[in-house]
Amino acid sequence: MSDIAIEARNIVAGYVPELPILKRVSMQAETAKVTVIIGPNGAGKSTLIKAIAGLVKVTSGQVLLKGEDVTNPRPDQMGGYGLAYVPQSDNIFRSLTIRQNLDLLLRNAGAERSSRLNALFEQFPPLADKQHQKAGSLSGGQRQFLAVAMALAVNPSVILMDEPSAGLSPKAAQEVLEHARQLTAQGVSIILVEQNVKQALRLADHCYILADGRNQIDGPAEDLLGDPVVAQIYLGGKRVAAP
Amino acid sequence: MIGLISYLIFFTTVAAILSIAVLGLNLQWGNSGLFNGGVVAFFGAGAYGTLILGGTAQSAHLGGFELFYPLALIGGMMCAGLMAWVVGKLTIRLRHDYLAIATFGVAVAFENLMRNAEGLSGGAQGLRGFERPLHAWLGDGFTYNAIFLVFVLILLIATYRFLELLIRSPYGRLLRAIREDETAAQSLGKDPAKIRLASLIIGSVIMGLSGGLYATFYAFISPQDILPILTFQIWAMLIVGGAGNNKGAVAGAFLIWAAWTASGWGLSRFAPLEMQLYTGSIQFILIGLVIVGMLLWRPQGLFPEKLVISQSGRAKHVKNRE
Amino acid sequence: MIQHLVDGILVGSILSLGAIGLTMAMHMLRFANFSHAELLSIGAYCALVFDGVFKAVYTPLGDVIGPLSLTWALSLAIVISMAITGGSAILIDRLVFARVRAKGGELSMVFASFGVAMIIRNVLGLTFGLKVQLYSQDIVFAMVLSRDPFLLVKPDQIFSLVAALIIMFAFHLVLSRTTFGYSLRAVAENPQLAQVSGINLNRMITLIWIIGGGLAAAAGVFYGLTNQINPVLGRDLLLPIFAATIVGGIGSIYGAALGGFLVGIASNLALLILPSGYSPAMPFLIILAVLIIRPTGLFGEERQ
């Protein structure tokens, strides 16, 4: 665990101070790796990445990005730290065209704007074809790709993704997750919250399991995939998690 | 001396009548979080309804049904309730802005209708031809006014008791639950829209009662009595008294009404002649400052503690809300 | 009939300008701002003051432009007035709304906006007097555009309509061509996503007040130019402007623009069947009709 991209230490966070959802959670994500967070409903998975992104207030604990303290960032300044966050739903501006969505995120790119736009379109050819359509007209899978493209527009070192496969067909879900995996080749670290446990574990490097706002188990994804306890709870057998 | 007592009776009667309207608003705003931007429309519906139903026959406009007074008063209250039902039905499921705008709109439209529809309301001249109840026995003088004040006070206390009971009933708890967390209340299997609509209607019927009494007191109503400023005055009374607190609402009504009449008297007496035209503007600015100032510096109102003492069972709940 | 339609369009353009700013602020800050129409009054009086100042400073500025009663001084004053009114809107937000907002409670904001409206309206009345004022004392005759059907239009009305359309078109270009426009639309659609996309919401609130105040000032001046200026100008236009936002769907900028014209036209056409005394009640009937037929308005989205 030498090259840590982002680290959360003993996070306590919630929407109201009296009712923390995260009671004490720690995690580390290695550079250019996929780290997946799983757990039953209400475990605080989404809250954890929202807390890292500054969308939920951290009342105690620290978030360190490459060793620098970035706890409770203002959400609009997150991009400046090299952090991007992809919400689970409503993660694109439906009333803007695809091109406008990307232009909006690239608005501070200055002279590089058109070259970076072209680079994004190369990475997501279907988006280039439909760039003048309203983003609301895209299919579920394409919306996720647009959302990821928007996240990439700020050249982040870490991308936080909240259930990118939710609501997608199995095939689209697979595509989206595989694409997330490929991003690591560019040096981007991915933190993924997933309900789609089996698929997520197959492509992830490391996995954290949360329950009731606390760490339960963590370890290399392939180990957990083979772990009988995890298998029983999450991979068929008794289903604790929602589908 | 008798002059002073007469004036006090007059003042207390009007303040008590307005207190009833403030209590109605407190049910809507204080307990249900419903914004009523057109209090004066429901007040006016009660006033016009009572006079039209209870008045003597008129040639120029509708009316002259000469209904037995309590029936006329109830009829006026029903007019107010009906109007609230229409507005509420259309807006209560939408974002709260819609109710605010629609109630404000209904007040503008109601005043406009009363001013123009001469056949219905006597137009700008107002509605006359109303015999005050028991007029034949009690005459027009001091005795009548004193007894009318007692009558108003009885209705004020009755309204107060009714609302206190309502707020403590399961329905009242439900109202507050919805105010705190609509989704949670919904998940209990209750339809928040229906419960809020009922609150809007009950509150408006109470405002209608207030309007009916006001019209009875003067035996006259005209569009000048239902100008938007009355809505602001009634709000100021509730905000100063402390929303959610019925005792505070009544105290706020007396306080603001006293301040309003005193400032009007003071301005007309001491303001230079060339400023006389502008005394209304100055009073309006004062009311505006009271509303804004209270919201900025004392949103809980002047009498919030009373609530905690008088309703110790709910003290914790109240603190949480603030 | 045609006369009513044309009058409706002329009034409608003024309502549109007012409604665009109102719908943006109402959507972003989630409260019905009953003080928005007072910005029209501030704009109208502000232009009156600067019109006088410019004329006094340099007399030739008092010359009228072509067939209009509009002077060069007043055209300059419009620009100044838009800026000052935008600034006033921010000031009101800082002094009152931002503080009430910080305490939480959208409904308290509605109360506060009523209080603010009363204060502004009556301070204007105290400052400028309750009497009616005009930008120009010269009588400008209406032009007969056609005799059958009979159609009368004042040059100032045409100027106001064209200027309002130009302002709206310019704003449309900003919305559809610039990343600033995209961010305005983004914030309107999804404030949280806008924030994680790097948009500073507080800065956007400030900008929305500037734009809303500027558009309202233009509307106020155009109203003063084609009708008259008085302290209750805002109060009288408040309900029609609200009706325009509801017709368009709260939050929809294009809906508000279209809604303004529809309310203007409908109110004027209604005068064909109703006595003119009823015109202040017309916007309420339009609101009722929209709520019955299509509560979300023309372009609004379903939301609670």
Side-chain angles (χ1 to χ4, degrees):
Chain A
M1 302 284 272
S2 55
D3 194 8
I4 305 301
I6 190 163
E7 180 179 4
R9 281 187 193 160
N10 304 322
I11 298 288
V12 179
Y15 295 92
V16 276
E18 307 90 66
L19 283 174
I21 297 169
L22 299 177
K23 287 153 192 161
R24 195 183 164 92
V25 176
S26 300
M27 69 164 294
Q28 293 181 328
E30 278 184 78
T31 303
K33 295 280 158 88
V34 176
T35 306
V36 68
I37 304 167
I38 59 176
N41 264 352
K45 308 177 296 282
S46 296
T47 311
L48 176 58
I49 61 171
K50 281 184 184 160
I52 295 173
L55 294 169
V56 173
K57 181 140 173 67
V58 175
T59 45
S60 108
Q62 273 185 310
V63 179
L64 301 171
L65 189 68
K66 297 226 160 62
E68 188 195 344
D69 190 333
V70 294
T71 316
N72 288 325
R74 244 176 56 191
D76 54 291
Q77 291 178 342
M78 201 170 47
Y81 299 119
L83 205 56
Y85 167 74
V86 182
Q88 178 185 344
S89 56
D90 292 326
N91 49 21
I92 52 157
F93 297 109
R94 279 167 291 138
S95 61
L96 302 182
T97 65
I98 289 145
R99 172 77 184 269
Q100 289 170 340
N101 267 286
L102 293 171
D103 278 341
L104 178 65
L105 271 294
L106 288 168
R107 68 193 180 288
N108 297 325
E112 291 174 39
R113 193 152 130 193
S114 61
S115 66
R116 295 219 339 238
L117 184 68
N118 287 334
L120 287 172
F121 279 147
E122 265 167 46
Q123 210 174 334
F124 302 93
L127 297 183
D129 300 339
K130 298 184 175 173
Q131 57 173 299
H132 295 298
Q133 284 182 22
K134 285 254 159 37
S137 69
L138 292 175
S139 70
Q142 288 169 333
R143 282 188 195 198
Q144 283 302 340
F145 282 124
L146 176 57
V148 173
M150 286 162 69
L152 285 172
V154 297
N155 274 341
S157 60
V158 178
I159 301 183
L160 308 162
M161 297 169 112
D162 196 350
E163 299 197 33
S165 73
L168 299 185
S169 69
K171 183 167 166 285
Q174 187 64 28
E175 274 175 28
V176 167
L177 290 174
E178 271 169 15
H179 189 271
R181 166 92 250 171
Q182 286 162 22
L183 292 176
T184 57
Q186 303 171 27
V188 182
S189 318
I190 306 285
I191 298 180
L192 208 64
V193 167
E194 261 305 330
Q195 299 269 21
N196 219 330
V197 174
K198 208 184 263 180
Q199 272 180 318
L201 280 178
R202 283 208 187 99
L203 64 89
D205 298 293
H206 201 84
C207 175
Y208 285 83
I209 299 180
L210 304 188
D212 191 29
R214 293 172 208 277
N215 290 84
Q216 293 298 313
I217 313 171
D218 77 272
E222 49 189 319
D223 293 4
L224 291 188
L225 202 52
D227 187 301
V229 178
V230 176
Q232 205 220 335
I233 299 177
Y234 294 108
L235 309 176
K238 198 172 111 202
R239 287 190 76 103
V240 175
Chain B
M1 190 59 195
I2 197 84
L4 181 68
I5 294 174
S6 290
Y7 183 76
L8 278 179
I9 287 178
F10 168 77
F11 171 85
T12 314
T13 307
V14 178
I17 289 173
L18 293 176
S19 300
I20 294 176
V22 180
L23 285 175
L25 182 67
N26 193 26
L27 176 66
Q28 295 175 343
W29 162 246
N31 292 296
S32 332
L34 294 169
F35 185 91
N36 185 342
V39 175
V40 71
F42 305 102
F43 179 89
Y48 273 95
T50 303
L51 290 205
I52 289 174
L53 292 172
T56 50
Q58 296 296 312
S59 55
H61 56 75
L62 188 71
F65 296 100
E66 294 188 69
L67 276 185
F68 178 50
Y69 177 70
L71 287 181
L73 190 61
I74 290 170
M77 291 159 72
M78 282 170 68
C79 293
L82 192 70
M83 218 155 72
W85 178 75
V86 171
V87 173
K89 194 80 187 155
L90 289 174
T91 54
I92 212 123
R93 285 175 200 279
L94 301 170
R95 264 172 69 170
H96 65 70
D97 321 19
Y98 285 89
L99 179 66
I101 297 168
T103 46
F104 174 74
V106 86
V108 172
F110 184 81
E111 196 239 333
N112 183 260
L113 183 68
M114 294 302 118
R115 196 177 284 282
N116 286 283
E118 286 178 5
L120 172 67
S121 63
Q125 302 300 316
L127 207 60
R128 292 174 192 279
F130 178 77
E131 288 274 322
R132 298 166 94 193
L134 306 183
H135 172 79
W137 293 358
L138 298 169
D140 256 339
F142 183 81
T143 323
Y144 190 95
N145 286 344
I147 289 177
F148 189 73
L149 171 61
V150 173
F151 173 61
V152 168
L153 287 176
I154 290 171
L155 284 178
L156 171 62
I157 293 167
T159 309
Y160 176 88
R161 297 290 299 225
F162 166 72
L163 286 174
E164 288 288 318
L165 281 175
L166 186 73
I167 290 165
R168 292 212 181 79
S169 73
Y171 170 80
R173 282 199 293 276
L174 215 50
L175 262 184
R176 281 191 306 279
I178 291 166
R179 191 197 147 115
E180 303 302 312
D181 187 345
E182 178 148 342
T183 337
Q186 209 155 17
S187 65
L188 293 173
K190 307 289 181 186
D191 181 1
K194 273 194 189 142
I195 291 158
R196 291 162 71 200
L197 181 62
S199 159
L200 182 75
I201 293 174
I202 297 170
S204 299
V205 166
I206 292 172
M207 290 169 190
L209 168 65
S210 165
L213 291 172
Y214 181 88
T216 310
F217 182 55
Y218 287 103
F220 171 68
I221 189 86
S222 83
Q224 287 308 109
D225 296 310
I226 53 166
L227 296 177
I229 183 67
L230 184 61
T231 299
F232 305 137
Q233 287 168 336
I234 289 171
W235 282 354
M237 291 167 182
L238 182 61
I239 295 175
V240 165
N245 168 6
N246 282 331
K247 280 205 185 93
V250 176
F254 276 81
L255 199 66
I256 288 290
W257 189 240
W260 178 265
T261 43
S263 67
W265 178 80
L267 284 167
S268 65
R269 192 175 163 116
F270 298 116
L273 196 62
E274 63 274 17
M275 285 302 289
Q276 287 295 334
L277 186 57
Y278 295 96
T279 54
S281 303
I282 294 169
Q283 281 189 296
F284 289 180
I285 292 175
L286 290 176
I287 280 275
L289 287 173
V290 166
I291 291 176
V292 173
M294 288 298 293
L295 289 173
L296 284 180
W297 292 296
R298 211 177 157 82
Q300 72 277 34
L302 291 182
F303 312 105
E305 316 78 34
K306 288 229 168 88
L307 181 64
V308 179
I309 297 163
S310 66
Q311 304 182 339
S312 51
R314 288 212 294 128
K316 200 167 139 258
H317 176 81
V318 170
K319 267 181 206 146
N320 281 347
R321 206 162 65 202
E322 290 169 6
Chain C
M1 172 80 188
I2 287 289
Q3 182 73 52
H4 283 96
L5 188 66
V6 171
D7 288 346
I9 293 171
L10 296 168
V11 176
S13 65
I14 292 168
L15 299 180
S16 298
L17 286 177
I20 290 172
L22 177 60
T23 210
M24 285 196 300
M26 197 151 59
H27 185 72
M28 171 119 185
L29 300 172
R30 300 193 63 82
F31 81 110
N33 180 5
F34 282 83
S35 68
H36 188 82
E38 303 309 320
L39 296 173
L40 276 77
S41 305
I42 294 180
Y45 278 104
C46 189
L48 185 70
V49 169
F50 280 92
D51 178 46
V53 169
F54 289 138
K55 277 179 195 157
V57 169
Y58 187 59
T59 325
L61 284 174
D63 295 344
V64 296
I65 304 173
L68 307 173
S69 76
L70 179 83
T71 59
W72 295 103
L74 183 58
S75 356
L76 281 178
I78 294 176
V79 179
I80 304 268
S81 164
M82 287 173 78
I84 291 181
T85 309
S88 315
I90 297 171
L91 187 70
I92 295 165
D93 187 59
R94 293 284 143 81
L95 286 178
V96 181
F97 296 143
R99 295 182 190 191
V100 178
R101 200 156 60 227
K103 287 183 204 278
E106 295 157 1
L107 283 163
S108 300
M109 304 267 286
V110 187
F111 274 115
S113 76
F114 266 105
V116 167
M118 296 234 295
I119 296 170
I120 296 175
R121 187 183 308 146
N122 291 290
V123 166
L124 286 175
L126 281 181
T127 316
F128 295 98
L130 299 177
K131 62 186 183 300
V132 163
Q133 303 201 44
L134 296 168
Y135 288 118
S136 163
Q137 304 304 328
D138 302 336
I139 296 164
V140 174
F141 292 101
M143 302 182 295
V144 179
L145 285 191
S146 120
R147 292 210 176 274
D148 187 35
F150 193 70
L151 186 56
L152 270 181
V153 179
K154 281 191 267 181
D156 286 336
Q157 290 180 312
I158 296 182
F159 163 78
S160 295
L161 175 64
V162 171
L165 288 174
I166 291 174
I167 291 172
M168 281 188 263
F169 184 68
F171 190 47
H172 161 71
L173 289 182
V174 169
L175 288 174
S176 60
R177 303 286 152 84
T178 67
T179 49
F180 168 62
Y182 305 160
S183 45
L184 273 177
R185 288 159 62 196
V187 167
E189 182 185 317
N190 186 342
Q192 195 183 29
L193 182 62
Q195 211 178 4
V196 300
S197 303
I199 294 168
N200 180 340
L201 290 188
N202 282 326
R203 206 174 135 252
M204 292 308 278
I205 291 173
T206 305
L207 291 166
I208 282 174
W209 284 122
I210 293 186
I211 296 169
L215 295 177
V221 179
F222 297 157
Y223 185 84
L225 192 63
T226 50
N227 293 282
Q228 59 192 25
I229 315 163
N230 60 41
V232 293
L233 176 161
R235 187 197 68 192
D236 294 344
L237 290 175
L238 178 60
L239 197 57
I241 290 176
F242 266 128
T245 64
I246 288 185
V247 169
I250 293 177
S252 166
I253 295 169
Y254 292 101
L258 193 58
F261 284 103
L262 289 178
V263 170
I265 292 168
S267 305
N268 270 280
L269 287 184
L271 295 181
L272 289 171
I273 44 171
L274 281 175
S276 64
Y278 287 104
S279 64
M282 269 313 293
F284 176 67
L285 294 183
I286 296 172
I287 291 174
L288 279 190
V290 173
L291 290 178
I292 291 167
I293 301 165
R294 190 179 157 84
T296 53
L298 291 173
F299 302 114
E301 282 174 45
E302 196 80 49
R303 36 187 246 166
Q304 296 273 305

